[in-house]
PDB file of all heavy atoms in Angstrom:
ATOM      1  N   PHE A  69      -1.178 -12.977  17.474  1.00 97.00           N
ATOM      2  CA  PHE A  69      -0.553 -12.127  16.449  1.00 97.00           C
ATOM      3  C   PHE A  69      -1.051 -12.315  15.014  1.00 97.00           C
ATOM      4  O   PHE A  69      -1.292 -11.337  14.317  1.00 97.00           O
ATOM      5  CB  PHE A  69       0.977 -12.255  16.499  1.00 97.00           C
ATOM      6  CG  PHE A  69       1.604 -11.697  17.751  1.00 97.00           C
ATOM      7  CD1 PHE A  69       2.966 -11.841  17.967  1.00 97.00           C
ATOM      8  CD2 PHE A  69       0.860 -11.031  18.727  1.00 97.00           C
ATOM      9  CE1 PHE A  69       3.573 -11.337  19.117  1.00 97.00           C
ATOM     10  CE2 PHE A  69       1.438 -10.533  19.885  1.00 97.00           C
ATOM     11  CZ  PHE A  69       2.800 -10.685  20.084  1.00 97.00           C
ATOM     12  N   PRO A  70      -1.211 -13.573  14.537  1.00 97.00           N
ATOM     13  CA  PRO A  70      -1.612 -13.713  13.125  1.00 97.00           C
ATOM     14  C   PRO A  70      -2.997 -13.151  12.817  1.00 97.00           C
ATOM     15  O   PRO A  70      -3.339 -12.940  11.655  1.00 97.00           O
ATOM     16  CB  PRO A  70      -1.590 -15.233  12.889  1.00 97.00           C
ATOM     17  CG  PRO A  70      -0.807 -15.804  14.011  1.00 97.00           C
ATOM     18  CD  PRO A  70      -0.987 -14.886  15.169  1.00 97.00           C
ATOM     19  N   VAL A  71      -3.784 -12.910  13.843  1.00 98.00           N
ATOM     20  CA  VAL A  71      -5.125 -12.348  13.626  1.00 98.00           C
ATOM     21  C   VAL A  71      -5.036 -10.873  13.217  1.00 98.00           C
ATOM     22  O   VAL A  71      -5.931 -10.341  12.561  1.00 98.00           O
ATOM     23  CB  VAL A  71      -5.990 -12.518  14.906  1.00 98.00           C
ATOM     24  CG1 VAL A  71      -7.368 -11.895  14.732  1.00 98.00           C
ATOM     25  CG2 VAL A  71      -6.109 -13.994  15.260  1.00 98.00           C
ATOM     26  N   GLY A  72      -3.955 -10.229  13.575  1.00 98.00           N
ATOM     27  CA  GLY A  72      -3.779  -8.819  13.232  1.00 98.00           C
ATOM     28  C   GLY A  72      -3.801  -8.615  11.724  1.00 98.00           C
ATOM     29  O   GLY A  72      -3.452  -9.501  10.955  1.00 98.00           O
ATOM     30  N   THR A  73      -4.234  -7.429  11.316  1.00 98.00           N
ATOM     31  CA  THR A  73      -4.355  -7.149   9.875  1.00 98.00           C
ATOM     32  C   THR A  73      -3.632  -5.858   9.526  1.00 98.00           C
ATOM     33  O   THR A  73      -3.629  -4.904  10.304  1.00 98.00           O
ATOM     34  CB  THR A  73      -5.839  -7.044   9.481  1.00 98.00           C
ATOM     35  OG1 THR A  73      -6.499  -8.180   9.991  1.00 98.00           O
ATOM     36  CG2 THR A  73      -6.023  -7.016   7.987  1.00 98.00           C
ATOM     37  N   CYS A  74      -3.050  -5.845   8.352  1.00 98.00           N
ATOM     38  CA  CYS A  74      -2.307  -4.674   7.882  1.00 98.00           C
ATOM     39  C   CYS A  74      -3.243  -3.561   7.433  1.00 98.00           C
ATOM     40  O   CYS A  74      -4.382  -3.800   7.000  1.00 98.00           O
ATOM     41  CB  CYS A  74      -1.436  -5.044   6.694  1.00 98.00           C
ATOM     42  SG  CYS A  74      -0.162  -6.236   7.059  1.00 98.00           S
ATOM     43  N   ALA A  75      -2.699  -2.362   7.469  1.00 98.00           N
ATOM     44  CA  ALA A  75      -3.437  -1.169   7.049  1.00 98.00           C
ATOM     45  C   ALA A  75      -3.892  -1.250   5.594  1.00 98.00           C
ATOM     46  O   ALA A  75      -5.030  -0.894   5.263  1.00 98.00           O
ATOM     47  CB  ALA A  75      -2.537   0.049   7.239  1.00 98.00           C
ATOM     48  N   GLU A  76      -3.016  -1.730   4.723  1.00 98.00           N
ATOM     49  CA  GLU A  76      -3.337  -1.741   3.287  1.00 98.00           C
ATOM     50  C   GLU A  76      -4.543  -2.623   2.996  1.00 98.00           C
ATOM     51  O   GLU A  76      -5.447  -2.250   2.244  1.00 98.00           O
ATOM     52  CB  GLU A  76      -2.149  -2.274   2.465  1.00 98.00           C
ATOM     53  CG  GLU A  76      -0.895  -1.436   2.543  1.00 98.00           C
ATOM     54  CD  GLU A  76       0.055  -1.895   3.640  1.00 98.00           C
ATOM     55  OE1 GLU A  76      -0.416  -2.202   4.754  1.00 98.00           O
ATOM     56  OE2 GLU A  76       1.263  -1.922   3.385  1.00 98.00           O
ATOM     57  N   ARG A  77      -4.534  -3.832   3.589  1.00 98.00           N
ATOM     58  CA  ARG A  77      -5.642  -4.757   3.305  1.00 98.00           C
ATOM     59  C   ARG A  77      -6.947  -4.237   3.875  1.00 98.00           C
ATOM     60  O   ARG A  77      -8.010  -4.382   3.278  1.00 98.00           O
ATOM     61  CB  ARG A  77      -5.340  -6.143   3.868  1.00 98.00           C
ATOM     62  CG  ARG A  77      -4.998  -7.126   2.778  1.00 98.00           C
ATOM     63  CD  ARG A  77      -4.541  -8.444   3.326  1.00 98.00           C
ATOM     64  NE  ARG A  77      -3.419  -8.272   4.222  1.00 98.00           N
ATOM     65  CZ  ARG A  77      -3.218  -8.963   5.335  1.00 98.00           C
ATOM     66  NH1 ARG A  77      -4.077  -9.884   5.701  1.00 98.00           N
ATOM     67  NH2 ARG A  77      -2.164  -8.741   6.080  1.00 98.00           N
ATOM     68  N   LEU A  78      -6.861  -3.622   5.062  1.00 98.00           N
ATOM     69  CA  LEU A  78      -8.099  -3.091   5.643  1.00 98.00           C
ATOM     70  C   LEU A  78      -8.626  -1.932   4.807  1.00 98.00           C
ATOM     71  O   LEU A  78      -9.838  -1.832   4.572  1.00 98.00           O
ATOM     72  CB  LEU A  78      -7.872  -2.662   7.093  1.00 98.00           C
ATOM     73  CG  LEU A  78      -7.844  -3.816   8.095  1.00 98.00           C
ATOM     74  CD1 LEU A  78      -7.533  -3.307   9.495  1.00 98.00           C
ATOM     75  CD2 LEU A  78      -9.185  -4.548   8.116  1.00 98.00           C
ATOM     76  N   ALA A  79      -7.746  -1.064   4.360  1.00 98.00           N
ATOM     77  CA  ALA A  79      -8.193   0.090   3.562  1.00 98.00           C
ATOM     78  C   ALA A  79      -8.818  -0.372   2.250  1.00 98.00           C
ATOM     79  O   ALA A  79      -9.891   0.107   1.849  1.00 98.00           O
ATOM     80  CB  ALA A  79      -7.018   1.037   3.306  1.00 98.00           C
ATOM     81  N   LEU A  80      -8.176  -1.328   1.589  1.00 98.00           N
ATOM     82  CA  LEU A  80      -8.711  -1.807   0.308  1.00 98.00           C
ATOM     83  C   LEU A  80     -10.037  -2.540   0.497  1.00 98.00           C
ATOM     84  O   LEU A  80     -10.975  -2.364  -0.279  1.00 98.00           O
ATOM     85  CB  LEU A  80      -7.698  -2.718  -0.386  1.00 98.00           C
ATOM     86  CG  LEU A  80      -6.539  -1.982  -1.063  1.00 98.00           C
ATOM     87  CD1 LEU A  80      -5.372  -2.924  -1.319  1.00 98.00           C
ATOM     88  CD2 LEU A  80      -6.995  -1.335  -2.368  1.00 98.00           C
ATOM     89  N   GLY A  81     -10.114  -3.364   1.550  1.00 98.00           N
ATOM     90  CA  GLY A  81     -11.352  -4.102   1.806  1.00 98.00           C
ATOM     91  C   GLY A  81     -12.494  -3.169   2.196  1.00 98.00           C
ATOM     92  O   GLY A  81     -13.638  -3.367   1.786  1.00 98.00           O
TER      93      GLY A  81
END
Side-chain angles (χ1 to χ4, degrees):
F69 293 175
V71 178
T73 310
C74 296
E76 297 93 317
R77 253 173 304 142
L78 282 177
L80 283 161

